[in-house]
Amino acid sequence: MRSVSKQLIAAFLATQLVALFVGYQFLSQEVSIVENPEDAGNAVRFFIQILVSTAVLLLVLHFYKGKRLFQAVEYLLEFSAIQIFASLFVSAEYSLAAAIALVGLRILAPDLKMFFLLFATAVVGGLLGASLGIVPAILLSALLAIYDVYAVFGSKHMIVLAKQMQERGAAFAVHLNDKKKKESITLGTGDVVIPAMIVVSSIRLSDSLLPAAFALIGAVAGLMAMIYVLEKNKCYWPALPPLVFGSLSFLVAYMAIAFFF
């Protein structure tokens, strides 16, 4: 396995663990962005919102050739994630101050870009998982996995989107490279958020973190399987199907073990 692949697995695992911690805090404090987490309609609404957002992003990329807009959106995402996370532990005033200070640090230290991106991704995944029950989470992840296949192999607009975003320097994908060995690998932030959502949502299945651990191990197994395919075929591949399948397969295995033992 290439060095960049190992780095991606490590970054993915670390982000999932942070999302698990954040999501657990959200669940403990009953933080949610929907009124009824068990409503399956939430999954459909989120899916439609994602489709609309993707269409808007493609239009923006077509008509806007600059980089500053995407940079501003990146800072806003990081600011919001830091403030939401900090608000779990400190007052609104301190969380706002922390967000301003850390985003300022991010602007002054561009090398921290990937760290802040992964942290923001973990917070989004944790919040989404805390907002959806396991059934809506499974439904949303399945819909997105199917859509991912179509977007990569069918319309191919996801490939266009990925290339355009990378050209603009937009931090909406985890991109790792080894210049000496001329190796690189990219994973979209959505491919990190959705497994995190499943991991956090699965906490509801037990008083322990065992189901979340199973879901997390399955997601990592799915990522390793995808990396194997990429290294063998040197092609674009939809990441969500193996990630979602791996996570849900291990989650089903946990439920079977819990039922019989």
Side-chain angles (χ1 to χ4, degrees):
M1 185 177 290
R2 298 180 301 173
S3 60
V4 289
S5 298
K6 294 178 181 178
Q7 292 173 31
L8 181 63
I9 292 172
F12 179 83
L13 177 58
T15 306
Q16 297 298 308
L17 290 173
V18 173
L20 179 57
F21 171 76
V22 174
Y24 184 81
Q25 300 301 320
F26 285 140
L27 286 168
S28 299
Q29 299 185 32
E30 298 183 347
V31 176
S32 174
I33 55 177
V34 300
E35 291 185 4
N36 180 12
E38 303 302 329
D39 181 7
N42 291 323
V44 178
R45 285 188 285 272
F46 278 129
F47 180 64
I48 293 173
Q49 289 172 5
I50 291 170
L51 292 183
V52 172
S53 299
T54 302
V56 171
L57 182 55
L58 286 168
L59 284 173
V60 171
L61 287 169
H62 179 75
F63 291 104
Y64 176 75
K65 303 303 179 181
K67 297 181 179 181
R68 291 186 178 180
L69 175 62
F70 298 104
Q71 193 172 55
V73 172
E74 176 190 338
Y75 294 151
L76 179 60
L77 172 63
E78 293 165 352
F79 176 87
S80 301
I82 294 168
Q83 187 175 20
I84 291 171
F85 175 77
S87 66
L88 292 170
F89 308 101
V90 298
S91 66
E93 293 81 4
Y94 285 112
S95 65
L96 178 61
I100 293 173
L102 289 173
V103 171
L105 174 63
R106 157 70 182 88
I107 294 172
L108 295 173
D111 291 342
L112 295 176
K113 179 177 183 176
M114 192 58 60
F115 172 82
F116 277 84
L117 171 65
L118 291 174
F119 178 77
T121 302
V123 173
V124 172
L127 181 58
L128 194 57
S131 301
L132 294 177
I134 190 62
V135 172
I138 291 174
L139 176 58
L140 178 58
S141 62
L143 288 172
L144 288 173
I146 294 170
Y147 167 67
D148 202 21
V149 173
Y150 168 75
V152 174
F153 293 142
S155 68
K156 300 185 186 300
H157 68 266
M158 196 59 70
I159 297 175
V160 175
L161 183 62
K163 289 181 177 179
Q164 289 284 327
M165 295 295 279
Q166 188 172 341
E167 288 175 5
R168 312 295 175 83
F172 297 104
V174 181
H175 182 72
L176 298 171
N177 62 78
D178 186 328
K179 294 181 179 179
K180 292 183 179 180
K181 296 183 179 180
K182 296 181 179 180
E183 299 174 348
S184 66
I185 191 167
T186 301
L187 188 68
T189 50
D191 301 324
V192 183
V193 167
I194 300 306
M197 174 192 71
I198 298 173
V199 169
V200 173
S201 181
S202 66
I203 295 175
R204 291 184 171 90
L205 295 174
S206 172
D207 294 332
S208 72
L209 293 177
L210 270 178
F214 269 75
L216 175 54
I217 294 171
V220 173
L223 177 63
M224 293 176 69
M226 185 200 72
I227 289 174
Y228 175 80
V229 172
L230 288 176
E231 290 185 347
K232 289 292 183 182
N233 298 286
K234 309 292 183 182
C235 62
Y236 285 96
W237 193 265
L240 277 183
L243 289 169
V244 170
F245 179 77
S247 188
L248 295 183
S249 296
F250 273 67
L251 196 55
V252 169
Y254 161 79
M255 294 172 70
I257 294 172
F259 179 79
F260 289 107
F261 298 97

